[in-house]
Amino acid sequence: MTVAEVNRVMNVDRRDLDGVRRLLTARAHLPAHWVDTLTARLADRYDDDSARLEGA
């Protein structure tokens, strides 16, 4: 797993559930918040980043 792959799944292809599962196999090496975020995605719950991305 590369940094590019982690970035892709966390920020670009957020609905890539196979990628989410791959990242979670390395959960011991990920920040707890990321594990929570990825686990939520498996349950079809996604963060709304619109305010942060739009500068609100």
Side-chain angles (χ1 to χ4, degrees):
M1 178 176 323
T2 65
V3 171
E5 174 71 357
V6 173
N7 182 63
R8 183 188 67 75
V9 173
M10 289 297 295
N11 300 303
V12 178
D13 296 326
R14 296 168 33 138
R15 295 184 183 271
D16 176 1
L17 297 182
D18 289 333
V20 167
R21 289 183 192 95
R22 278 193 305 277
L23 292 186
L24 286 173
T25 65
R27 70 177 58 230
H29 305 286
L30 298 173
H33 176 74
W34 288 13
V35 172
D36 293 345
T37 297
L38 293 166
T39 302
R41 289 179 186 177
L42 288 177
D44 202 32
R45 293 189 316 266
Y46 294 83
D47 293 337
D48 180 5
D49 291 331
S50 60
R52 179 181 62 82
L53 295 173
E54 294 170 6

